[in-house]
Amino acid sequence: MRIVGATLVAVAVLALLVAVHRYVWRRFVGDTTTPGSPWRRAGTIAAYVLPLLSVGALVSGRAGAPFRIQQVLAWPGFLWLAALLYLTLALLVGEAVRPLLRRWLARRAAAAPEPEPEPAPVSVPASAPEAAPVTEPAPGPVPEPARGSAPGDPSRRLFVARAVGGAAAAAGLGTVGYGTYGVLRGPRVKRVTVPLARLPRSAHGFRIAVVSDIHLGPILGRSHTQRIVDAVNRTQPDLIAVVGDLVDGSVDDLGPAAEPLAALRARHGAFFVTGNHEYYSGASQWVDRVRELGLHPLENARVETGGFDLAGVNDIGGESEGQGPDFARALGDRDPGRAAVLLAHQPVVIDEAVEYGVDLQLSGHTHGGQLWPGNYIAELSNPTVAGLERYGDTQLYVTRGAGAWGPPVRVGAPSDITVVELASRQA
């Protein structure tokens, strides 16, 4: 039954993609070019090639394609997915503009003054110098209206199609370009103060740099890691928490890209918990690798640091491998009088955190939606998409993440590294 359901979903998604590509081709190519023209041929070829590149980018990693092939497919394939989204949204807005523009052009043509006819020639006999009667023009067909004045004139339709298409292309591609620049520039640093009732006065002002969803892969590599490490170290945190989804690939392919993590510096060290993407990429190998780089993996474990308990649980993506979250092991025997901070990749485990008396849960996973209006979709499956919220006596902070999955583009959800400063109510 589950296989049948998955097949139906796949067929529905494929049908939707075909329909969207057909719509985009018609508006950008079919309506704006003439049959047989070089522009028509180029647009039609792109309409077939770009979606094939996107499919290749999505499946090449899971299919075990060589990493170089993944890199070749990733840039055009993933960028086209983002471009397709915003080009389609811009065209849908253009559908409302299109009839208004047609009406405006029709009114303008109707209001234009009619050109005055030229006077007919006057025949004057050579032998008679006096004025001769004016010769009336011979009756003939009525001249046709000027081209472009008729309501259904093809030239007007072509002008409207090209104007709306050009504006939609500028808006859609401009949005994707700016969103790509935001990711490649690197994450911004946010600062949030979180008061904890059980935090001792000695830990007042303790700063945790929270980094999630770096997503090293065929697009974001070593330079991306270095930008993040530099940004984190500039904040001079007391502790660093890398909260899952570090990679999209194997240690063999991405080990060099992760090496700058060895330069992370914090007085109480750097800690790591797995995200769901680690379980697509060989979680146990990555846990060993980050340990070699100087990070401390918290696999359903807890340490006492800085006047509070720091716990970490595996991501729920590890349940299929028998490595899912174990809250009893991480938090079951702790001193309830001490404050507890939990690292958990996905916000959905907040109910378990409340049950075990956690004061603050630090999570990622959502990317803040990454591509608007994706935030509305993310809200359907996550209690908090971004920011700080309270659930009973437990507070949950969700970072938007420092990288991007799939398209290296963010719109309406800028990447961030968050410095969480703990505040003691006893201070």
Side-chain angles (χ1 to χ4, degrees):
M1 192 69 179
R2 184 176 298 175
I3 296 176
V4 173
T7 302
L8 291 175
V9 170
V11 170
V13 171
L14 180 61
L16 177 63
L17 286 175
V18 170
V20 170
H21 277 89
R22 174 63 183 170
Y23 169 69
V24 169
W25 177 90
R26 182 165 64 88
R27 286 308 192 200
F28 280 122
V29 181
D31 292 351
T32 62
T33 60
T34 56
S37 69
W39 291 109
R40 172 75 62 99
R41 287 195 294 270
T44 302
I45 291 171
Y48 284 97
V49 172
L50 289 172
L52 290 176
L53 289 172
S54 296
V55 172
L58 288 167
V59 305
S60 59
R62 299 289 183 89
F67 190 63
R68 182 57 183 163
I69 298 298
Q70 296 179 43
Q71 290 177 308
V72 169
L73 294 172
W75 272 105
F78 282 127
L79 279 177
W80 172 243
L81 290 176
L84 179 65
L85 170 62
Y86 290 107
L87 289 173
T88 303
L89 291 176
L91 284 174
L92 292 175
V93 173
E95 297 298 342
V97 176
R98 195 181 300 270
L100 300 177
L101 184 56
R102 284 202 194 109
R103 287 195 204 105
W104 178 76
L105 289 173
R107 287 199 208 98
R108 185 178 178 188
E114 291 288 338
E116 295 186 5
E118 295 183 3
V122 178
S123 300
V124 180
S127 59
E130 68 274 5
V134 177
T135 303
E136 293 290 336
V142 179
E144 293 184 2
R147 183 171 176 81
S149 61
D153 194 318
S155 66
R156 184 182 300 162
R157 290 198 301 270
L158 185 61
F159 173 79
V160 171
R162 288 178 174 175
V164 173
L173 297 180
T175 299
V176 172
Y178 183 75
T180 303
Y181 166 74
V183 171
L184 299 183
R185 175 197 60 201
R188 299 298 193 189
V189 174
K190 293 179 60 178
R191 298 180 185 274
V192 176
T193 300
V194 182
L196 302 181
R198 291 182 290 187
L199 189 72
R201 183 176 301 182
S202 60
H204 181 75
F206 192 97
R207 290 171 299 130
I208 304 174
V210 183
V211 189
S212 183
D213 301 280
I214 296 174
H215 284 289
L216 299 179
I219 292 180
L220 301 176
R222 187 185 182 101
S223 59
H224 179 63
T225 312
Q226 190 63 59
R227 282 191 294 270
I228 291 171
V229 169
D230 292 342
V232 169
N233 287 344
R234 281 195 296 268
T235 68
Q236 299 182 326
D238 297 301
L239 184 145
I240 300 167
V242 181
V243 197
D245 278 8
L246 171 65
V247 292
D248 285 307
S250 67
V251 171
D252 290 340
D253 291 334
L254 296 173
E259 287 176 356
L261 295 174
L264 287 171
R265 295 288 179 265
R267 186 159 55 98
H268 291 271
F271 295 83
F272 171 80
V273 293
T274 55
N276 54 306
H277 281 247
E278 270 73 57
Y279 293 98
Y280 309 147
S281 309
S284 59
Q285 292 90 339
W286 274 111
V287 167
D288 292 340
R289 182 59 178 148
V290 299
R291 186 181 285 112
E292 292 170 0
L293 294 173
L295 282 75
H296 307 287
L298 290 175
E299 299 181 273
N300 298 320
R302 180 182 75 254
V303 295
E304 295 182 2
T305 181
F308 60 92
D309 291 340
L310 179 71
V313 292
N314 295 345
D315 185 72
I316 57 179
E319 290 177 344
S320 61
E321 303 178 15
Q323 300 177 18
D326 188 337
F327 283 83
R329 180 178 163 192
L331 295 162
D333 59 348
R334 73 180 193 86
D335 179 359
R338 289 173 57 86
V341 175
L342 173 69
L343 309 183
H345 177 64
Q346 297 197 40
V348 293
V349 299
I350 185 61
D351 292 336
E352 288 85 351
V354 173
E355 179 183 348
Y356 279 89
V358 169
D359 296 83
L360 173 63
Q361 175 179 319
L362 301 174
S363 298
H365 182 65
T366 68
H367 297 207
Q370 185 168 328
L371 297 171
W372 183 93
N375 53 307
Y376 298 112
I377 299 173
E379 287 175 357
L380 300 177
S381 55
N382 294 279
T384 297
V385 173
L388 182 67
E389 291 187 2
R390 176 177 289 277
Y391 295 84
D393 292 331
T394 302
Q395 296 181 80
L396 168 63
Y397 180 78
V398 181
T399 171
R400 292 189 177 96
W405 179 83
V409 183
R410 281 178 172 265
V411 177
S415 56
D416 70 67
I417 294 164
T418 304
V419 177
V420 176
E421 182 172 329
L422 306 181
S424 171
R425 290 181 177 170
Q426 304 171 25

